[in-house]
Amino acid sequence: MTEDRKIKIIVAKPGLDGHDRGAKLLARIFAEAGMEVVYTGLRQTPEMIVETALQEDADVVGLSSLSGVHMYFFPRVVELLREKGLDDVLVVGGGIIPKEDIPELKKAGVAEIFGPGTPTAEIVAFIKNNVRTRD
Amino acid sequence: MRDYAKEVLEGSVRAAARLISWLEDEDPRALEHMERLYAHTGRAYVMGITGSPGAGKSTLTDKVTFALRKKGLTVGIVAVDPSSPFTGGAVLGDRVRMSRLTMDPGVFMRSMATRGFLGGLAKATGEVVKVLDALGKDVILIETVGVGQDEVDVIRLADTTCLVLVPGLGDTIQSMKAGVMEIADVFVINKADRPGADQLYAEVTTRVEQDASIRERAWTPPVMRTVAVDDEGIGDLVEAVEAHRKFLEESGALEEKRRRRAREETLQLIHGELYRRIRDRLTANGELDALVEAIVQRRESPYRAMQHVVARWMRE
Ligand SMILES: Nc1nc2c(ncn2[C@@H]2O[C@H](COP(=O)(O)OP(=O)(O)O)[C@@H](O)[C@H]2O)c(=O)[nH]1
Ligand SMILES: [Mg+2]
């Protein structure tokens, strides 16, 4: 069968703030788009997120942040992924992120940042177009 | 190409994770590695945890794993969640209750979607168990889907199956479908802090006693009470599972179970491979289309077509 390979995505919410409505919604959106979404819950450290990506053999890590910790957390996740040899894993971010932070995050290896109100179809399309082809 | 089998045997999480993906995708590259891993499997003890959605299976899995880790045992976890039949997607949320296990190098946890497979597991769950076994995990916990009561496939893979029942979720003996009670090697009444727990406990206990009086059984499933969220009753549950293991080992039932498993598995593999080969050939040369056309027009019957295809294949 030449059916499309399933995309596996980790949806994680790093940091300490206690809302996961946004992340849960994202998880549902990705599942609707046919992906297999590993939802990890709240208060994930970058180390936990990367270990999860490793065990789950995830293609994508989606990070959601509201608490302003993205400048530390997002690059740290990319860095740890590289350390583990998972440099082909696509990292995308979302949440409330000031525009001026975006260039630096991208320079650090975050593939794309989606602000609030980004059409979900756009996020899904970006992932589908940029996900690795697994050997 | 990387030598995944060798890496798994050396304990590589990365290699195990990738091999599991291939197994899930039914990627033919997995075969060669599984073939080499097989000799190193059969050491892990396999526990199944099944029950209705929301019964507390993930919470229990977390607590049981923690208890096993304290005993110095390493643990592999396979948690299965349903794929949507409409979109093919899935939300795999069991890790939420097991966050604290993530950074423990003695634990490997993998989420799986059913991908249309019925019976409470994913098609590749049995293969994934073998990878974790070869990876050196002492105990492997399988958390089943739990959407209804037809998820009894876990007993084919698990040495000990724990059936989790909770008060207030419609888990009453009357509502239980035929065959479901029978899958339990250990009953777990979880959410024992909730109203109705005593009644459910009494109901299940009575049922187990009745069953034993109707027909003598070598093993009488114990009925355990737990409050998974508060880590209550977990030690006793682990002991009950150990007692069952001891029973299986001493009575020879474990060997018998595993022999049956090997038999089923071998037949299933042969079935799958024959199917694939015949299907590929029939589709490649256009014969299948021609047959279907003839069958639709009633010039041919599927029964005769089957006999011809099989007979010819056997001759070649
Ligand atoms: N009151 C109570 N709630 C529990 C208990 N065990 C689990 N829960 C809660 O039940 C819900 C479902 O638990 P989960 O482990 O995800 O169930 P699963 O769907 O069977 O895996 C969660 O909100 C748990 O916190 C328990 O013993 N008592
Ligand atoms: Mg669960």
Side-chain angles (χ1 to χ4, degrees), chain A residues 5-6 8 31-32 34-39 44 48 51-52 54-57 85-86 132 134-135, chain B residues 14 17-18 21-22 25 29 87-92 95-96 99 102 108-111 113 115:
Chain A
R5 191 173 63 75
K6 287 259 173 289
K8 195 163 196 182
E32 282 290 315
M35 301 180 200
E36 292 182 350
V37 188
V38 177
Y39 180 64
Q44 298 284 304
M48 289 162 84
E51 186 59 35
T52 301
L54 181 71
Q55 294 179 13
E56 299 284 356
D57 193 20
L86 303 174
R132 68 186 181 187
R134 200 174 59 207
D135 59 3
Chain B
R14 177 91 197 276
R18 177 53 51 88
S21 298
W22 282 354
D25 293 348
R29 285 175 292 183
T87 65
V91 175
L92 313 171
R95 276 186 178 269
V96 173
S99 246
T102 306
F108 181 107
M109 196 277 189
R110 181 71 172 225
S111 316
R115 299 191 181 179

mmCIF file of all heavy atoms in Angstrom, chain A residues 5-6 8 31-32 34-39 44 48 51-52 54-57 85-86 132 134-135, chain B residues 14 17-18 21-22 25 29 87-92 95-96 99 102 108-111 113 115:
data_model
loop_
_atom_site.group_PDB
_atom_site.id
_atom_site.type_symbol
_atom_site.label_atom_id
_atom_site.label_comp_id
_atom_site.label_asym_id
_atom_site.label_seq_id
_atom_site.Cartn_x
_atom_site.Cartn_y
_atom_site.Cartn_z
ATOM 1 N N ARG A 5 2.360 7.974 4.888
ATOM 2 C CA ARG A 5 2.788 7.615 6.224
ATOM 3 C C ARG A 5 2.183 8.601 7.225
ATOM 4 O O ARG A 5 2.094 9.785 6.967
ATOM 5 C CB ARG A 5 4.310 7.678 6.277
ATOM 6 C CG ARG A 5 4.905 7.083 7.511
ATOM 7 C CD ARG A 5 6.413 7.051 7.393
ATOM 8 N NE ARG A 5 6.987 8.390 7.288
ATOM 9 C CZ ARG A 5 7.093 9.222 8.325
ATOM 10 N NH1 ARG A 5 6.630 8.884 9.501
ATOM 11 N NH2 ARG A 5 7.639 10.400 8.164
ATOM 12 N N LYS A 6 1.782 8.064 8.374
ATOM 13 C CA LYS A 6 1.187 8.923 9.400
ATOM 14 C C LYS A 6 2.239 9.861 9.980
ATOM 15 O O LYS A 6 3.358 9.457 10.264
ATOM 16 C CB LYS A 6 0.642 8.066 10.535
ATOM 17 C CG LYS A 6 -0.610 7.337 10.176
ATOM 18 C CD LYS A 6 -1.825 8.044 10.751
ATOM 19 C CE LYS A 6 -3.116 7.423 10.258
ATOM 20 N NZ LYS A 6 -3.396 7.688 8.847
ATOM 21 N N LYS A 8 3.595 11.809 13.079
ATOM 22 C CA LYS A 8 3.457 11.747 14.535
ATOM 23 C C LYS A 8 3.984 13.052 15.122
ATOM 24 O O LYS A 8 5.100 13.465 14.833
ATOM 25 C CB LYS A 8 4.233 10.555 15.086
ATOM 26 C CG LYS A 8 3.832 10.225 16.517
ATOM 27 C CD LYS A 8 4.290 8.830 16.888
ATOM 28 C CE LYS A 8 3.600 8.316 18.135
ATOM 29 N NZ LYS A 8 4.080 6.994 18.530
ATOM 30 N N ALA A 31 -5.090 16.024 15.064
ATOM 31 C CA ALA A 31 -5.722 14.712 14.903
ATOM 32 C C ALA A 31 -6.761 14.759 13.785
ATOM 33 O O ALA A 31 -6.857 13.848 12.965
ATOM 34 C CB ALA A 31 -6.353 14.266 16.217
ATOM 35 N N GLU A 32 -7.521 15.846 13.738
ATOM 36 C CA GLU A 32 -8.509 16.033 12.665
ATOM 37 C C GLU A 32 -7.840 16.001 11.300
ATOM 38 O O GLU A 32 -8.432 15.597 10.309
ATOM 39 C CB GLU A 32 -9.197 17.399 12.807
ATOM 40 C CG GLU A 32 -10.262 17.469 13.861
ATOM 41 C CD GLU A 32 -11.505 16.672 13.489
ATOM 42 O OE1 GLU A 32 -11.955 16.785 12.347
ATOM 43 O OE2 GLU A 32 -11.979 15.919 14.361
ATOM 44 N N GLY A 34 -5.529 14.187 10.520
ATOM 45 C CA GLY A 34 -5.055 12.832 10.239
ATOM 46 C C GLY A 34 -3.740 12.463 10.906
ATOM 47 O O GLY A 34 -3.169 11.412 10.629
ATOM 48 N N MET A 35 -3.248 13.338 11.793
ATOM 49 C CA MET A 35 -1.965 13.026 12.428
ATOM 50 C C MET A 35 -2.182 12.226 13.721
ATOM 51 O O MET A 35 -3.263 12.225 14.292
ATOM 52 C CB MET A 35 -1.221 14.323 12.774
ATOM 53 C CG MET A 35 -0.945 15.196 11.559
ATOM 54 S SD MET A 35 -0.062 16.701 12.034
ATOM 55 C CE MET A 35 -0.428 17.740 10.614
ATOM 56 N N GLU A 36 -1.120 11.580 14.150
ATOM 57 C CA GLU A 36 -1.146 10.911 15.454
ATOM 58 C C GLU A 36 -0.450 11.842 16.440
ATOM 59 O O GLU A 36 0.728 12.148 16.308
ATOM 60 C CB GLU A 36 -0.463 9.545 15.367
ATOM 61 C CG GLU A 36 -1.299 8.598 14.494
ATOM 62 C CD GLU A 36 -0.747 7.194 14.357
ATOM 63 O OE1 GLU A 36 0.397 6.940 14.764
ATOM 64 O OE2 GLU A 36 -1.483 6.344 13.832
ATOM 65 N N VAL A 37 -1.226 12.302 17.405
ATOM 66 C CA VAL A 37 -0.760 13.366 18.287
ATOM 67 C C VAL A 37 -0.496 12.825 19.680
ATOM 68 O O VAL A 37 -1.394 12.276 20.317
ATOM 69 C CB VAL A 37 -1.845 14.468 18.403
ATOM 70 C CG1 VAL A 37 -1.291 15.666 19.160
ATOM 71 C CG2 VAL A 37 -2.367 14.875 17.036
ATOM 72 N N VAL A 38 0.719 12.959 20.121
ATOM 73 C CA VAL A 38 1.029 12.578 21.497
ATOM 74 C C VAL A 38 0.879 13.830 22.340
ATOM 75 O O VAL A 38 1.626 14.799 22.174
ATOM 76 C CB VAL A 38 2.460 12.029 21.625
ATOM 77 C CG1 VAL A 38 2.782 11.708 23.081
ATOM 78 C CG2 VAL A 38 2.635 10.799 20.752
ATOM 79 N N TYR A 39 -0.099 13.807 23.208
ATOM 80 C CA TYR A 39 -0.320 14.953 24.068
ATOM 81 C C TYR A 39 0.321 14.678 25.426
ATOM 82 O O TYR A 39 0.073 13.647 26.035
ATOM 83 C CB TYR A 39 -1.824 15.229 24.205
ATOM 84 C CG TYR A 39 -2.056 16.413 25.092
ATOM 85 C CD1 TYR A 39 -1.598 17.659 24.704
ATOM 86 C CD2 TYR A 39 -2.667 16.263 26.327
ATOM 87 C CE1 TYR A 39 -1.742 18.752 25.542
ATOM 88 C CE2 TYR A 39 -2.830 17.364 27.158
ATOM 89 C CZ TYR A 39 -2.363 18.590 26.758
ATOM 90 O OH TYR A 39 -2.493 19.660 27.586
ATOM 91 N N GLN A 44 5.971 20.626 31.169
ATOM 92 C CA GLN A 44 7.003 19.782 30.588
ATOM 93 C C GLN A 44 8.316 20.557 30.508
ATOM 94 O O GLN A 44 8.335 21.696 30.066
ATOM 95 C CB GLN A 44 6.575 19.366 29.178
ATOM 96 C CG GLN A 44 5.303 18.543 29.146
ATOM 97 C CD GLN A 44 5.544 17.119 29.579
ATOM 98 O OE1 GLN A 44 6.376 16.433 29.016
ATOM 99 N NE2 GLN A 44 4.829 16.676 30.597
ATOM 100 N N MET A 48 12.126 16.631 29.076
ATOM 101 C CA MET A 48 11.010 15.678 28.981
ATOM 102 C C MET A 48 10.434 15.647 27.572
ATOM 103 O O MET A 48 10.110 14.590 27.039
ATOM 104 C CB MET A 48 9.909 16.062 29.981
ATOM 105 C CG MET A 48 10.284 15.804 31.427
ATOM 106 S SD MET A 48 9.216 16.741 32.558
ATOM 107 C CE MET A 48 7.813 15.647 32.659
ATOM 108 N N GLU A 51 12.881 13.748 25.324
ATOM 109 C CA GLU A 51 12.860 12.321 25.631
ATOM 110 C C GLU A 51 11.581 11.674 25.067
ATOM 111 O O GLU A 51 11.615 10.561 24.550
ATOM 112 C CB GLU A 51 12.954 12.104 27.151
ATOM 113 C CG GLU A 51 13.083 10.662 27.590
ATOM 114 C CD GLU A 51 14.304 9.930 27.019
ATOM 115 O OE1 GLU A 51 15.362 10.566 26.848
ATOM 116 O OE2 GLU A 51 14.186 8.719 26.735
ATOM 117 N N THR A 52 10.480 12.394 25.175
ATOM 118 C CA THR A 52 9.224 11.896 24.610
ATOM 119 C C THR A 52 9.340 11.755 23.091
ATOM 120 O O THR A 52 8.943 10.742 22.516
ATOM 121 C CB THR A 52 8.056 12.846 24.974
ATOM 122 O OG1 THR A 52 7.970 12.920 26.395
ATOM 123 C CG2 THR A 52 6.736 12.341 24.416
ATOM 124 N N LEU A 54 11.939 11.253 21.420
ATOM 125 C CA LEU A 54 12.852 10.136 21.156
ATOM 126 C C LEU A 54 12.115 8.797 21.240
ATOM 127 O O LEU A 54 12.170 7.975 20.326
ATOM 128 C CB LEU A 54 13.991 10.195 22.181
ATOM 129 C CG LEU A 54 15.078 9.135 22.093
ATOM 130 C CD1 LEU A 54 15.943 9.365 20.864
ATOM 131 C CD2 LEU A 54 15.968 9.161 23.346
ATOM 132 N N GLN A 55 11.411 8.581 22.345
ATOM 133 C CA GLN A 55 10.722 7.298 22.543
ATOM 134 C C GLN A 55 9.590 7.107 21.543
ATOM 135 O O GLN A 55 9.309 5.999 21.102
ATOM 136 C CB GLN A 55 10.175 7.200 23.974
ATOM 137 C CG GLN A 55 11.280 7.148 25.019
ATOM 138 C CD GLN A 55 10.755 7.077 26.447
ATOM 139 O OE1 GLN A 55 9.581 6.836 26.691
ATOM 140 N NE2 GLN A 55 11.648 7.292 27.398
ATOM 141 N N GLU A 56 8.924 8.187 21.216
ATOM 142 C CA GLU A 56 7.772 8.094 20.318
ATOM 143 C C GLU A 56 8.174 8.157 18.842
ATOM 144 O O GLU A 56 7.346 8.019 17.966
ATOM 145 C CB GLU A 56 6.768 9.215 20.619
ATOM 146 C CG GLU A 56 6.191 9.193 22.038
ATOM 147 C CD GLU A 56 5.133 8.111 22.218
ATOM 148 O OE1 GLU A 56 4.795 7.426 21.251
ATOM 149 O OE2 GLU A 56 4.669 7.947 23.373
ATOM 150 N N ASP A 57 9.456 8.412 18.573
ATOM 151 C CA ASP A 57 9.939 8.587 17.193
ATOM 152 C C ASP A 57 9.084 9.632 16.472
ATOM 153 O O ASP A 57 8.602 9.398 15.354
ATOM 154 C CB ASP A 57 9.923 7.255 16.429
ATOM 155 C CG ASP A 57 10.709 7.325 15.120
ATOM 156 O OD1 ASP A 57 11.556 8.236 14.979
ATOM 157 O OD2 ASP A 57 10.482 6.480 14.240
ATOM 158 N N GLY A 85 20.678 13.580 18.309
ATOM 159 C CA GLY A 85 20.715 13.127 16.917
ATOM 160 C C GLY A 85 19.368 13.198 16.223
ATOM 161 O O GLY A 85 19.143 12.584 15.191
ATOM 162 N N LEU A 86 18.454 13.939 16.819
ATOM 163 C CA LEU A 86 17.118 14.045 16.232
ATOM 164 C C LEU A 86 16.978 15.357 15.455
ATOM 165 O O LEU A 86 15.977 16.065 15.564
ATOM 166 C CB LEU A 86 16.048 13.985 17.338
ATOM 167 C CG LEU A 86 16.065 12.740 18.226
ATOM 168 C CD1 LEU A 86 15.062 12.881 19.367
ATOM 169 C CD2 LEU A 86 15.737 11.496 17.412
ATOM 170 N N ARG A 132 9.849 15.745 7.828
ATOM 171 C CA ARG A 132 10.915 14.906 7.253
ATOM 172 C C ARG A 132 10.307 13.739 6.481
ATOM 173 O O ARG A 132 9.194 13.301 6.762
ATOM 174 C CB ARG A 132 11.785 14.355 8.390
ATOM 175 C CG ARG A 132 11.037 13.356 9.262
ATOM 176 C CD ARG A 132 11.829 12.914 10.461
ATOM 177 N NE ARG A 132 11.105 11.954 11.264
ATOM 178 C CZ ARG A 132 11.526 11.504 12.444
ATOM 179 N NH1 ARG A 132 12.643 11.962 12.984
ATOM 180 N NH2 ARG A 132 10.823 10.612 13.121
ATOM 181 N N ARG A 134 10.917 10.044 6.456
ATOM 182 C CA ARG A 134 11.663 9.150 7.337
ATOM 183 C C ARG A 134 12.310 8.042 6.523
ATOM 184 O O ARG A 134 11.662 7.405 5.716
ATOM 185 C CB ARG A 134 10.725 8.572 8.379
ATOM 186 C CG ARG A 134 11.449 8.050 9.567
ATOM 187 C CD ARG A 134 10.469 7.616 10.623
ATOM 188 N NE ARG A 134 9.592 6.578 10.112
ATOM 189 C CZ ARG A 134 8.376 6.367 10.550
ATOM 190 N NH1 ARG A 134 7.860 7.133 11.475
ATOM 191 N NH2 ARG A 134 7.641 5.398 10.063
ATOM 192 N N ASP A 135 13.598 7.820 6.755
ATOM 193 C CA ASP A 135 14.231 6.727 6.024
ATOM 194 C C ASP A 135 13.936 5.406 6.715
ATOM 195 O O ASP A 135 13.411 5.366 7.799
ATOM 196 C CB ASP A 135 15.753 6.940 5.948
ATOM 197 C CG ASP A 135 16.408 7.024 7.325
ATOM 198 O OD1 ASP A 135 15.677 6.856 8.337
ATOM 199 O OD2 ASP A 135 17.603 7.265 7.391
ATOM 200 N N ARG B 14 16.692 5.051 20.708
ATOM 201 C CA ARG B 14 16.487 5.556 19.357
ATOM 202 C C ARG B 14 16.185 4.432 18.371
ATOM 203 O O ARG B 14 15.226 4.492 17.595
ATOM 204 C CB ARG B 14 17.756 6.299 18.927
ATOM 205 C CG ARG B 14 17.766 6.825 17.548
ATOM 206 C CD ARG B 14 17.244 8.241 17.518
ATOM 207 N NE ARG B 14 16.872 8.662 16.189
ATOM 208 C CZ ARG B 14 17.724 9.153 15.293
ATOM 209 N NH1 ARG B 14 18.988 9.271 15.597
ATOM 210 N NH2 ARG B 14 17.293 9.526 14.115
ATOM 211 N N ALA B 17 12.835 2.855 19.080
ATOM 212 C CA ALA B 17 11.740 3.735 18.665
ATOM 213 C C ALA B 17 11.531 3.656 17.154
ATOM 214 O O ALA B 17 10.399 3.614 16.677
ATOM 215 C CB ALA B 17 12.029 5.174 19.095
ATOM 216 N N ARG B 18 12.620 3.633 16.400
ATOM 217 C CA ARG B 18 12.486 3.587 14.944
ATOM 218 C C ARG B 18 11.971 2.236 14.465
ATOM 219 O O ARG B 18 11.094 2.150 13.613
ATOM 220 C CB ARG B 18 13.830 3.915 14.289
ATOM 221 C CG ARG B 18 13.837 3.822 12.771
ATOM 222 C CD ARG B 18 12.722 4.649 12.094
ATOM 223 N NE ARG B 18 12.635 6.019 12.511
ATOM 224 C CZ ARG B 18 13.316 7.032 11.970
ATOM 225 N NH1 ARG B 18 14.133 6.810 10.977
ATOM 226 N NH2 ARG B 18 13.138 8.267 12.418
ATOM 227 N N SER B 21 8.364 2.136 14.844
ATOM 228 C CA SER B 21 7.654 2.872 13.784
ATOM 229 C C SER B 21 7.524 2.012 12.532
ATOM 230 O O SER B 21 6.467 1.983 11.895
ATOM 231 C CB SER B 21 8.393 4.157 13.416
ATOM 232 O OG SER B 21 8.467 5.011 14.525
ATOM 233 N N TRP B 22 8.584 1.329 12.189
ATOM 234 C CA TRP B 22 8.526 0.448 11.010
ATOM 235 C C TRP B 22 7.483 -0.635 11.205
ATOM 236 O O TRP B 22 6.751 -0.976 10.288
ATOM 237 C CB TRP B 22 9.897 -0.203 10.786
ATOM 238 C CG TRP B 22 10.889 0.701 10.141
ATOM 239 C CD1 TRP B 22 10.657 1.957 9.644
ATOM 240 C CD2 TRP B 22 12.272 0.426 9.899
ATOM 241 N NE1 TRP B 22 11.816 2.471 9.127
ATOM 242 C CE2 TRP B 22 12.830 1.553 9.267
ATOM 243 C CE3 TRP B 22 13.096 -0.665 10.168
ATOM 244 C CZ2 TRP B 22 14.171 1.626 8.890
ATOM 245 C CZ3 TRP B 22 14.429 -0.594 9.791
ATOM 246 C CH2 TRP B 22 14.956 0.539 9.162
ATOM 247 N N ASP B 25 4.106 0.773 10.713
ATOM 248 C CA ASP B 25 3.856 1.058 9.298
ATOM 249 C C ASP B 25 3.873 -0.197 8.431
ATOM 250 O O ASP B 25 3.730 -0.100 7.214
ATOM 251 C CB ASP B 25 4.928 2.027 8.761
ATOM 252 C CG ASP B 25 4.826 3.397 9.395
ATOM 253 O OD1 ASP B 25 3.818 3.663 10.057
ATOM 254 O OD2 ASP B 25 5.771 4.201 9.232
ATOM 255 N N ARG B 29 11.196 -3.572 6.040
ATOM 256 C CA ARG B 29 12.554 -3.548 6.591
ATOM 257 C C ARG B 29 12.611 -4.062 8.021
ATOM 258 O O ARG B 29 13.667 -4.448 8.519
ATOM 259 C CB ARG B 29 13.104 -2.114 6.569
ATOM 260 C CG ARG B 29 13.515 -1.662 5.183
ATOM 261 C CD ARG B 29 13.933 -0.221 5.208
ATOM 262 N NE ARG B 29 12.798 0.661 5.484
ATOM 263 C CZ ARG B 29 12.889 1.991 5.494
ATOM 264 N NH1 ARG B 29 14.043 2.580 5.284
ATOM 265 N NH2 ARG B 29 11.818 2.733 5.729
ATOM 266 N N THR B 87 -10.927 10.379 10.192
ATOM 267 C CA THR B 87 -9.771 11.158 9.756
ATOM 268 C C THR B 87 -8.481 10.338 9.781
ATOM 269 O O THR B 87 -7.479 10.749 9.196
ATOM 270 C CB THR B 87 -9.559 12.353 10.703
ATOM 271 O OG1 THR B 87 -9.207 11.849 12.002
ATOM 272 C CG2 THR B 87 -10.810 13.191 10.810
ATOM 273 N N GLY B 88 -8.498 9.206 10.458
ATOM 274 C CA GLY B 88 -7.275 8.423 10.601
ATOM 275 C C GLY B 88 -6.343 8.983 11.662
ATOM 276 O O GLY B 88 -5.324 8.387 11.982
ATOM 277 N N GLY B 89 -6.694 10.138 12.212
ATOM 278 C CA GLY B 89 -5.862 10.746 13.244
ATOM 279 C C GLY B 89 -6.178 10.189 14.621
ATOM 280 O O GLY B 89 -7.132 9.436 14.801
ATOM 281 N N ALA B 90 -5.345 10.560 15.587
ATOM 282 C CA ALA B 90 -5.566 10.082 16.950
ATOM 283 C C ALA B 90 -4.933 11.038 17.948
ATOM 284 O O ALA B 90 -3.896 11.627 17.666
ATOM 285 C CB ALA B 90 -4.953 8.697 17.130
ATOM 286 N N VAL B 91 -5.583 11.188 19.086
ATOM 287 C CA VAL B 91 -4.939 11.886 20.200
ATOM 288 C C VAL B 91 -4.503 10.815 21.196
ATOM 289 O O VAL B 91 -5.314 10.067 21.710
ATOM 290 C CB VAL B 91 -5.877 12.906 20.874
ATOM 291 C CG1 VAL B 91 -5.187 13.506 22.094
ATOM 292 C CG2 VAL B 91 -6.295 13.992 19.899
ATOM 293 N N LEU B 92 -3.199 10.738 21.414
ATOM 294 C CA LEU B 92 -2.648 9.730 22.312
ATOM 295 C C LEU B 92 -2.308 10.441 23.619
ATOM 296 O O LEU B 92 -1.303 11.135 23.715
ATOM 297 C CB LEU B 92 -1.405 9.103 21.669
ATOM 298 C CG LEU B 92 -1.574 8.693 20.189
ATOM 299 C CD1 LEU B 92 -0.236 8.295 19.573
ATOM 300 C CD2 LEU B 92 -2.582 7.565 20.044
ATOM 301 N N ARG B 95 0.250 9.629 28.168
ATOM 302 C CA ARG B 95 1.465 10.134 28.815
ATOM 303 C C ARG B 95 1.182 11.195 29.872
ATOM 304 O O ARG B 95 2.001 11.413 30.765
ATOM 305 C CB ARG B 95 2.405 10.733 27.773
ATOM 306 C CG ARG B 95 3.271 9.720 27.107
ATOM 307 C CD ARG B 95 4.280 10.384 26.205
ATOM 308 N NE ARG B 95 5.136 9.400 25.599
ATOM 309 C CZ ARG B 95 6.297 9.003 26.135
ATOM 310 N NH1 ARG B 95 6.747 9.534 27.256
ATOM 311 N NH2 ARG B 95 7.004 8.067 25.549
ATOM 312 N N VAL B 96 0.033 11.839 29.743
ATOM 313 C CA VAL B 96 -0.305 12.902 30.687
ATOM 314 C C VAL B 96 -0.230 12.387 32.122
ATOM 315 O O VAL B 96 0.240 13.087 33.015
ATOM 316 C CB VAL B 96 -1.728 13.445 30.389
ATOM 317 C CG1 VAL B 96 -2.166 14.432 31.454
ATOM 318 C CG2 VAL B 96 -1.757 14.090 29.013
ATOM 319 N N SER B 99 3.837 11.407 33.380
ATOM 320 C CA SER B 99 4.887 12.396 33.166
ATOM 321 C C SER B 99 6.159 12.119 33.958
ATOM 322 O O SER B 99 7.264 12.268 33.455
ATOM 323 C CB SER B 99 4.374 13.767 33.583
ATOM 324 O OG SER B 99 4.278 14.594 32.469
ATOM 325 N N THR B 102 8.902 9.871 32.466
ATOM 326 C CA THR B 102 9.574 10.209 31.209
ATOM 327 C C THR B 102 11.090 10.196 31.311
ATOM 328 O O THR B 102 11.774 9.685 30.431
ATOM 329 C CB THR B 102 9.113 11.599 30.712
ATOM 330 O OG1 THR B 102 7.688 11.613 30.645
ATOM 331 C CG2 THR B 102 9.674 11.914 29.328
ATOM 332 N N PHE B 108 10.644 2.722 29.270
ATOM 333 C CA PHE B 108 10.425 3.133 27.884
ATOM 334 C C PHE B 108 8.927 3.111 27.655
ATOM 335 O O PHE B 108 8.260 2.112 27.891
ATOM 336 C CB PHE B 108 11.110 2.168 26.910
ATOM 337 C CG PHE B 108 10.939 2.544 25.452
ATOM 338 C CD1 PHE B 108 12.012 3.059 24.735
ATOM 339 C CD2 PHE B 108 9.718 2.384 24.796
ATOM 340 C CE1 PHE B 108 11.875 3.405 23.386
ATOM 341 C CE2 PHE B 108 9.567 2.736 23.462
ATOM 342 C CZ PHE B 108 10.648 3.244 22.752
ATOM 343 N N MET B 109 8.387 4.240 27.210
ATOM 344 C CA MET B 109 6.941 4.314 27.024
ATOM 345 C C MET B 109 6.630 4.673 25.586
ATOM 346 O O MET B 109 7.202 5.597 25.033
ATOM 347 C CB MET B 109 6.392 5.378 27.972
ATOM 348 C CG MET B 109 4.905 5.301 28.167
ATOM 349 S SD MET B 109 3.995 6.125 26.852
ATOM 350 C CE MET B 109 2.367 6.096 27.517
ATOM 351 N N ARG B 110 5.710 3.941 24.998
ATOM 352 C CA ARG B 110 5.333 4.210 23.625
ATOM 353 C C ARG B 110 3.813 4.260 23.511
ATOM 354 O O ARG B 110 3.109 3.388 24.011
ATOM 355 C CB ARG B 110 5.873 3.102 22.728
ATOM 356 C CG ARG B 110 5.554 3.291 21.264
ATOM 357 C CD ARG B 110 6.353 4.425 20.644
ATOM 358 N NE ARG B 110 6.140 4.435 19.212
ATOM 359 C CZ ARG B 110 7.106 4.582 18.310
ATOM 360 N NH1 ARG B 110 8.344 4.772 18.682
ATOM 361 N NH2 ARG B 110 6.820 4.580 17.026
ATOM 362 N N SER B 111 3.319 5.301 22.843
ATOM 363 C CA SER B 111 1.893 5.419 22.571
ATOM 364 C C SER B 111 1.624 4.861 21.181
ATOM 365 O O SER B 111 2.422 5.061 20.273
ATOM 366 C CB SER B 111 1.469 6.888 22.572
ATOM 367 O OG SER B 111 2.047 7.594 23.648
ATOM 368 N N ALA B 113 -1.565 4.219 18.138
ATOM 369 C CA ALA B 113 -2.946 4.372 17.690
ATOM 370 C C ALA B 113 -3.418 3.061 17.069
ATOM 371 O O ALA B 113 -2.609 2.316 16.519
ATOM 372 C CB ALA B 113 -3.032 5.507 16.671
ATOM 373 N N ARG B 115 -5.197 2.474 14.449
ATOM 374 C CA ARG B 115 -5.178 2.445 12.985
ATOM 375 C C ARG B 115 -6.179 1.454 12.410
ATOM 376 O O ARG B 115 -5.872 0.667 11.510
ATOM 377 C CB ARG B 115 -3.772 2.138 12.463
ATOM 378 C CG ARG B 115 -2.760 3.188 12.895
ATOM 379 C CD ARG B 115 -1.442 3.056 12.178
ATOM 380 N NE ARG B 115 -0.490 4.068 12.629
ATOM 381 C CZ ARG B 115 0.754 4.160 12.181
ATOM 382 N NH1 ARG B 115 1.195 3.320 11.278
ATOM 383 N NH2 ARG B 115 1.560 5.101 12.626
#
